[in-house]
Amino acid sequence: ALESQQSALRATEAWYRGIIEAAPDGMLVVDAEGQILRTNRQLDQLFGYSAGELLGESIDRLVPLASRGRHVALRKGFMAHGDTRQMGANLDDLQGVRKDSSLFSAEISLSHLPSLEGGGACVCASVRDVSERRHLQAALKASEAQLRAVLDSSPVAMVIRDVDGRPTYCNPQFDSLFGTRLAELEGTDPGQFWVDPAAHQRFLAAASQGPVLNFETTLQRAAGERVDVLVSSVTMPGERG
């Protein structure tokens, strides 16, 4: 019976090793003290180490020096109470440190494993390099900030609606012209600004066919005051404006 149990244990351990080795992301297993028990080829390559070089080392070796104190506390807390969790998936920029001391942005998933090779509790960590994603997110954020600055400073009143027609943005000039803020536009009919319903329908029909530039009409402010304007409609990627 004992031999059968040992054989089953060896088979289970081999199964875990096979999963770790075959994983497309970097994978490592650490014990309760943070000692690295196993890594796969992807993890070694990601951090710039040769096969087996990290075995027996502390996981803190892969953590930037400035973050090690906090990492120790987080690791102990996860060992004691943690469940499967993912870190770095949002904008919190977790970093790993390679053998050559260079840093990269990482997304890390943690999960408890049954004890391996007769040891105690251990944790399996999946590590992915998301540096390119972080750069793209930063570039997108900067681009959105630049676009908002342009729209906010434009002398032309502008409102942006999503694909369902819900207003998602209006600039200060729109507020000033119509005396209506973005929150007040939600759930309202855009037709309330049009004096001539027939003109509104002609505008909508034209906009459904493509961009409309300088459609001459009369609109009314929230207080009822009328103003002669030129209305344009241009479809933005992913939105309707």
Side-chain angles (χ1 to χ4, degrees):
L2 178 60
E3 182 178 348
S4 176
Q5 290 176 346
Q6 290 176 336
S7 177
L9 177 61
R10 288 193 296 270
T12 300
E13 291 173 351
W15 183 71
Y16 276 117
R17 287 195 296 270
I19 291 177
I20 291 170
E21 286 298 330
D25 292 328
M27 303 282 288
L28 74 162
V29 178
V30 300
D31 63 16
E33 300 304 318
Q35 184 182 51
I36 298 174
L37 303 178
R38 185 170 300 281
T39 64
N40 66 355
R41 180 173 56 87
Q42 290 80 359
L43 189 285
D44 294 330
Q45 291 178 347
L46 178 59
F47 285 91
Y49 290 90
S50 57
E53 189 175 356
L54 284 169
L55 300 184
E57 296 290 340
S58 170
I59 185 66
D60 294 334
R61 184 170 179 173
L62 306 180
V63 178
L65 185 60
S67 304
R68 288 180 185 174
R70 178 171 176 267
H71 178 261
V72 170
L74 290 174
R75 187 188 73 235
K76 291 181 177 179
F78 182 80
M79 281 290 187
H81 310 292
D83 197 354
T84 300
R85 63 179 294 196
Q86 187 175 46
M87 300 183 297
N90 300 315
L91 293 181
D92 47 329
D93 194 7
L94 297 178
Q95 291 186 313
V97 57
R98 299 187 180 94
K99 185 177 181 179
D100 63 6
S101 299
S102 62
L103 302 177
F104 66 93
S105 296
E107 185 175 283
I108 303 172
S109 296
L110 303 175
S111 58
H112 282 286
L113 286 181
S115 61
L116 292 178
E117 300 172 351
C122 54
V123 168
C124 181
S126 170
V127 185
R128 178 177 298 179
D129 184 348
V130 293
S131 300
E132 183 176 357
R133 186 199 304 173
R134 290 287 182 267
H135 292 321
L136 290 174
Q137 288 173 333
L140 178 60
K141 188 174 182 179
S143 177
E144 289 175 344
Q146 291 174 349
L147 175 59
R148 179 170 288 272
V150 170
L151 295 178
D152 284 349
S153 62
S154 173
V156 178
M158 297 185 184
V159 61
I160 297 176
R161 297 180 180 274
D162 64 18
V163 293
D164 296 318
R166 292 187 297 264
T168 59
Y169 168 84
C170 63
N171 65 353
Q173 186 63 20
F174 185 93
D175 291 344
S176 176
L177 179 62
F178 291 101
T180 303
R181 298 185 179 277
L182 178 62
E184 298 169 338
L185 287 176
E186 295 179 2
T188 62
D189 179 6
Q192 69 180 353
F193 297 106
W194 291 72
V195 173
D196 183 356
H200 184 212
Q201 292 304 314
R202 290 196 302 273
F203 176 80
L204 292 177
S208 68
Q209 301 301 313
V212 179
L213 301 178
N214 299 328
F215 185 95
E216 187 172 352
T217 190
T218 301
L219 300 182
Q220 59 185 356
R221 298 187 172 105
E225 182 182 357
R226 297 184 177 186
V227 55
D228 294 328
V229 297
L230 297 174
V231 182
S232 299
S233 174
V234 178
T235 300
M236 301 173 63
E239 295 187 87
R240 182 170 66 208

